Every structure is written in structure tokens, then in C-alpha cells.
Coordinates of all heavy atoms in Angstrom, one line a residue:
G442 N -93.3 -189.4 -68.4 CA -91.9 -190.2 -68.5 C -90.9 -189.8 -69.5 O -89.7 -190.2 -69.3
G443 N -91.3 -189.0 -70.5 CA -90.4 -188.5 -71.3 C -89.9 -189.6 -72.4 O -88.9 -189.2 -73.1
S444 N -90.5 -190.7 -72.5 CA -90.1 -191.8 -73.5 C -90.3 -191.4 -74.9 O -89.7 -192.0 -75.7 CB -90.6 -193.0 -73.0 OG -91.9 -193.1 -73.2
T445 N -91.4 -190.6 -75.1 CA -91.9 -190.4 -76.5 C -92.1 -188.9 -76.7 O -92.6 -188.2 -75.9 CB -93.1 -191.2 -76.7 OG1 -92.9 -192.6 -76.5 CG2 -93.6 -191.0 -78.2
T446 N -91.5 -188.5 -77.8 CA -91.8 -187.0 -78.3 C -92.3 -187.1 -79.7 O -92.2 -188.1 -80.4 CB -90.5 -186.2 -78.2 OG1 -89.6 -186.8 -79.1 CG2 -90.0 -186.0 -76.8
D447 N -93.1 -186.1 -80.1 CA -93.7 -186.0 -81.4 C -93.7 -184.5 -81.8 O -93.9 -183.7 -80.9 CB -95.1 -186.6 -81.4 CG -95.6 -186.8 -82.8 OD1 -94.7 -186.8 -83.8 OD2 -96.8 -187.0 -83.0
Y448 N -93.6 -184.3 -83.0 CA -93.5 -182.9 -83.5 C -94.4 -182.8 -84.8 O -94.4 -183.7 -85.6 CB -92.1 -182.5 -83.9 CG -91.2 -182.4 -82.8 CD1 -90.4 -183.5 -82.3 CD2 -91.0 -181.3 -81.9 CE1 -89.6 -183.5 -81.1 CE2 -90.1 -181.2 -80.9 CZ -89.4 -182.4 -80.5 OH -88.6 -182.3 -79.4
A449 N -94.9 -181.6 -85.0 CA -95.6 -181.3 -86.3 C -94.5 -181.2 -87.3 O -93.3 -180.8 -87.1 CB -96.3 -180.0 -86.3
D450 N -94.8 -181.7 -88.6 CA -93.8 -181.8 -89.6 C -93.3 -180.3 -89.9 O -92.0 -180.2 -90.2 CB -94.4 -182.2 -90.9 CG -94.7 -183.7 -91.0 OD1 -94.1 -184.5 -90.1 OD2 -95.4 -184.1 -91.8
S451 N -93.9 -179.3 -89.6 CA -93.5 -177.9 -89.9 C -92.4 -177.5 -89.0 O -91.8 -176.5 -89.2 CB -94.7 -177.0 -89.9 OG -95.3 -177.0 -88.6
V452 N -92.4 -178.0 -87.8 CA -91.3 -177.7 -86.8 C -90.3 -178.7 -86.6 O -89.2 -178.4 -85.9 CB -92.0 -177.2 -85.4 CG1 -93.1 -176.3 -85.7 CG2 -92.6 -178.5 -84.7
K453 N -90.3 -179.9 -87.2 CA -89.3 -180.9 -87.0 C -87.9 -180.4 -87.3 O -87.7 -179.7 -88.3 CB -89.6 -182.1 -87.7 CG -90.6 -183.0 -87.2 CD -90.9 -184.2 -88.0 CE -92.0 -185.1 -87.4 NZ -92.3 -186.3 -88.2
G454 N -87.0 -180.7 -86.4 CA -85.6 -180.1 -86.7 C -85.3 -178.7 -86.3 O -84.1 -178.3 -86.1
R455 N -86.4 -178.0 -85.9 CA -86.1 -176.7 -85.4 C -86.6 -176.4 -83.9 O -86.0 -175.7 -83.3 CB -87.0 -175.7 -86.4 CG -86.6 -175.7 -87.7 CD -87.3 -174.6 -88.6 NE -88.8 -174.8 -88.6 CZ -89.6 -173.9 -88.1 NH1 -89.1 -172.7 -87.7 NH2 -91.0 -173.9 -88.2
F456 N -87.7 -177.2 -83.6 CA -88.1 -177.1 -82.2 C -87.9 -178.4 -81.3 O -87.8 -179.4 -82.0 CB -89.8 -176.9 -82.3 CG -90.3 -175.6 -82.8 CD1 -89.4 -174.7 -83.5 CD2 -91.5 -175.2 -82.6 CE1 -89.8 -173.5 -84.0 CE2 -92.0 -174.2 -83.2 CZ -91.3 -173.2 -83.8
T457 N -87.6 -178.1 -80.1 CA -87.4 -179.2 -79.1 C -88.2 -179.1 -77.9 O -88.1 -178.0 -77.3 CB -85.9 -179.2 -78.8 OG1 -85.0 -179.2 -80.0 CG2 -85.6 -180.4 -77.9
I458 N -89.0 -180.1 -77.6 CA -89.8 -180.1 -76.4 C -89.0 -180.8 -75.3 O -88.2 -181.8 -75.5 CB -91.1 -180.8 -76.6 CG1 -92.1 -180.5 -75.4 CG2 -91.0 -182.2 -76.9 CD1 -93.4 -180.9 -75.6
S459 N -89.0 -180.1 -74.1 CA -88.5 -180.9 -72.9 C -89.2 -180.6 -71.6 O -90.1 -179.8 -71.7 CB -87.0 -180.6 -72.7 OG -86.9 -179.1 -72.5
E460 N -88.9 -181.1 -70.6 CA -89.4 -181.0 -69.3 C -88.4 -181.2 -68.1 O -87.6 -181.9 -68.2 CB -90.7 -181.8 -69.1 CG -90.5 -183.3 -69.1 CD -91.8 -184.0 -69.1 OE1 -92.8 -183.4 -69.2 OE2 -91.8 -185.3 -68.9
D461 N -88.7 -180.5 -67.0 CA -87.9 -180.7 -65.8 C -89.0 -181.0 -64.8 O -89.7 -180.0 -64.3 CB -87.2 -179.3 -65.5 CG -86.3 -179.6 -64.3 OD1 -86.5 -180.5 -63.4 OD2 -85.3 -178.7 -64.2
N462 N -89.0 -182.2 -64.3 CA -90.1 -182.7 -63.4 C -89.8 -182.2 -62.0 O -90.7 -181.9 -61.3 CB -90.2 -184.2 -63.5 CG -90.7 -184.8 -64.7 OD1 -91.6 -184.1 -65.3 ND2 -90.3 -185.9 -65.1
A463 N -88.5 -181.9 -61.7 CA -88.3 -181.3 -60.5 C -88.9 -179.8 -60.4 O -89.1 -179.4 -59.2 CB -86.8 -181.4 -60.2
K464 N -89.0 -179.1 -61.3 CA -89.5 -177.8 -61.4 C -90.8 -177.8 -61.9 O -91.4 -176.6 -62.0 CB -88.6 -177.0 -62.3 CG -87.1 -176.7 -61.8 CD -86.3 -175.8 -62.7 CE -84.9 -175.7 -62.1 NZ -84.0 -174.7 -63.1
N465 N -91.5 -178.9 -62.2 CA -92.9 -178.9 -62.7 C -93.0 -177.9 -63.9 O -93.9 -177.1 -64.1 CB -93.8 -178.5 -61.6 CG -94.2 -179.6 -60.7 OD1 -93.6 -180.7 -60.9 ND2 -94.9 -179.4 -59.7
T466 N -91.9 -177.9 -64.8 CA -92.0 -177.0 -65.9 C -91.6 -177.6 -67.2 O -90.8 -178.5 -67.2 CB -91.0 -176.0 -65.6 OG1 -91.3 -175.2 -64.3 CG2 -90.9 -174.8 -66.7
G467 N -92.4 -177.3 -68.2 CA -92.2 -177.8 -69.6 C -91.6 -176.6 -70.5 O -91.7 -175.5 -70.1
Y468 N -90.8 -177.1 -71.4 CA -90.1 -176.1 -72.3 C -90.3 -176.4 -73.7 O -90.5 -177.5 -74.2 CB -88.7 -176.0 -72.1 CG -88.4 -175.8 -70.6 CD1 -88.0 -176.9 -69.8 CD2 -88.2 -174.4 -70.1 CE1 -87.7 -176.6 -68.3 CE2 -88.0 -174.3 -68.7 CZ -87.7 -175.4 -67.9 OH -87.4 -175.1 -66.6
L469 N -90.3 -175.3 -74.6 CA -90.3 -175.6 -76.0 C -89.2 -174.7 -76.5 O -89.4 -173.3 -76.6 CB -91.6 -175.0 -76.7 CG -91.7 -175.3 -78.1 CD1 -91.7 -176.9 -78.5 CD2 -93.0 -174.8 -78.8
Q470 N -88.0 -175.2 -77.0 CA -87.0 -174.4 -77.7 C -87.3 -174.3 -79.0 O -87.6 -175.3 -79.7 CB -85.6 -175.1 -77.3 CG -84.6 -174.5 -77.9 CD -84.1 -173.1 -77.4 OE1 -84.2 -172.9 -76.1 NE2 -83.9 -172.0 -78.2
M471 N -87.3 -173.0 -79.5 CA -87.6 -172.8 -80.9 C -86.5 -172.1 -81.5 O -86.1 -170.9 -81.2 CB -88.9 -171.9 -81.0 CG -90.2 -172.6 -80.2 SD -91.6 -171.5 -80.5 CE -91.2 -170.0 -79.8
N472 N -85.8 -172.9 -82.5 CA -84.8 -172.2 -83.3 C -85.2 -172.0 -84.7 O -86.2 -172.6 -85.3 CB -83.5 -173.2 -83.2 CG -83.2 -173.4 -81.9 OD1 -83.1 -172.5 -81.0 ND2 -82.6 -174.6 -81.5
S473 N -84.3 -171.2 -85.4 CA -84.6 -170.9 -86.9 C -86.1 -170.6 -87.2 O -86.6 -171.1 -88.1 CB -84.2 -172.2 -87.7 OG -82.9 -172.6 -87.5
L474 N -86.5 -169.6 -86.4 CA -87.9 -169.2 -86.5 C -88.2 -168.6 -87.8 O -87.3 -168.0 -88.4 CB -88.2 -168.3 -85.1 CG -88.5 -168.9 -84.0 CD1 -88.4 -168.0 -82.8 CD2 -89.8 -169.6 -84.0
K475 N -89.4 -168.8 -88.2 CA -89.9 -168.2 -89.5 C -91.1 -167.4 -89.3 O -91.8 -167.6 -88.3 CB -90.3 -169.3 -90.4 CG -89.2 -170.4 -90.6 CD -89.7 -171.6 -91.5 CE -88.7 -172.6 -91.8 NZ -89.1 -173.7 -92.6
P476 N -91.3 -166.5 -90.2 CA -92.6 -165.6 -90.0 C -93.9 -166.5 -89.8 O -94.8 -166.1 -89.1 CB -92.6 -164.8 -91.4 CG -91.2 -164.7 -91.7 CD -90.6 -166.0 -91.3
E477 N -94.0 -167.6 -90.5 CA -95.0 -168.5 -90.4 C -95.3 -169.2 -89.1 O -96.2 -169.8 -88.7 CB -95.2 -169.6 -91.5 CG -93.9 -170.4 -91.6 CD -92.9 -169.7 -92.7 OE1 -92.8 -168.5 -92.8 OE2 -92.5 -170.6 -93.5
D478 N -94.3 -169.0 -88.1 CA -94.4 -169.5 -86.7 C -95.2 -168.5 -85.9 O -95.4 -168.9 -84.7 CB -93.1 -169.7 -86.2 CG -92.2 -170.9 -86.9 OD1 -92.9 -172.0 -87.2 OD2 -91.1 -170.8 -87.2
T479 N -95.4 -167.4 -86.4 CA -96.1 -166.4 -85.6 C -97.5 -166.9 -85.2 O -98.3 -167.3 -86.0 CB -96.4 -165.1 -86.5 OG1 -95.0 -164.5 -86.7 CG2 -97.2 -164.2 -85.7
A480 N -97.7 -166.9 -84.0 CA -99.0 -167.4 -83.4 C -99.0 -167.2 -81.8 O -98.0 -166.8 -81.3 CB -99.2 -168.8 -83.7
I481 N -100.2 -167.5 -81.3 CA -100.3 -167.5 -79.8 C -100.0 -169.1 -79.4 O -100.5 -170.0 -80.1 CB -101.6 -167.2 -79.2 CG1 -101.8 -165.9 -79.6 CG2 -101.6 -167.4 -77.8 CD1 -103.3 -165.3 -79.1
Y482 N -99.0 -169.4 -78.5 CA -98.5 -170.6 -78.3 C -99.2 -171.0 -76.9 O -99.1 -170.2 -75.9 CB -97.1 -170.7 -78.2 CG -96.5 -170.8 -79.5 CD1 -96.4 -169.7 -80.4 CD2 -95.9 -172.0 -80.0 CE1 -95.9 -169.8 -81.7 CE2 -95.4 -172.1 -81.3 CZ -95.4 -171.0 -82.2 OH -94.8 -171.1 -83.4
Y483 N -99.7 -172.2 -76.8 CA -100.3 -172.8 -75.6 C -99.7 -174.0 -75.2 O -99.4 -175.0 -76.0 CB -101.8 -173.0 -75.9 CG -102.7 -171.9 -76.3 CD1 -102.8 -171.5 -77.6 CD2 -103.4 -171.0 -75.3 CE1 -103.6 -170.5 -78.0 CE2 -104.2 -170.1 -75.8 CZ -104.2 -169.7 -77.1 OH -105.1 -168.7 -77.5
C484 N -99.5 -174.2 -73.9 CA -99.2 -175.4 -73.3 C -100.4 -176.1 -72.8 O -101.4 -175.4 -72.4 CB -98.0 -175.4 -72.3 SG -98.6 -174.6 -70.8
A485 N -100.3 -177.5 -72.7 CA -101.6 -178.2 -72.3 C -101.1 -179.5 -71.7 O -100.0 -180.1 -71.9 CB -102.4 -178.5 -73.4
E486 N -101.9 -180.1 -70.8 CA -101.7 -181.3 -70.1 C -102.9 -182.3 -70.7 O -104.1 -181.9 -70.6 CB -101.7 -181.2 -68.7 CG -100.5 -180.8 -68.0 CD -100.4 -181.0 -66.5 OE1 -101.3 -181.6 -65.9 OE2 -99.4 -180.6 -66.0
S487 N -102.5 -183.5 -70.9 CA -103.5 -184.4 -71.6 C -104.4 -185.0 -70.5 O -104.2 -184.9 -69.3 CB -102.7 -185.6 -72.2 OG -102.1 -186.3 -71.3

């Protein structure tokens, strides 16, 4: 429903999560990236 979002403290203010239900697609916009953001990123459904 998109009513609630939550972020890890380490990415607050830099990353934004969103979704397009018409496309069945979720997104993670990542700005101001830092070397410590280096990782494998996984999406998941609860």
C-alpha cells in the first residue's frame, strides 16, 4: 500500500525506496554513494 517506509540509519537521506504496482516493480534510488555501500543488494518480499 506504500503507506510506510523505513530505512537503515546508514542510508537515511541518501536512499529512496519506491514501487510501481502497475509494473510490478520496486526501486531503490541510491544517491551520494559511499565506498561502504559496496555490497550485493537483494530485493525481497515479506
Side-chain angles (χ1 to χ4, degrees):
S444 62
T445 302
T446 58
D447 194 15
Y448 298 89
D450 288 343
S451 58
V452 307
K453 279 181 182 176
R455 300 188 297 123
F456 291 11
T457 303
I458 190 171
S459 62
E460 59 187 9
D461 185 336
N462 290 327
K464 295 182 178 180
N465 284 357
T466 301
Y468 304 97
L469 184 68
Q470 178 67 44
M471 307 187 296
N472 299 329
S473 303
L474 283 161
K475 304 175 180 180
E477 51 263 44
D478 294 318
T479 295
I481 299 174
Y482 282 71
Y483 300 89
C484 65
E486 281 193 1
S487 73

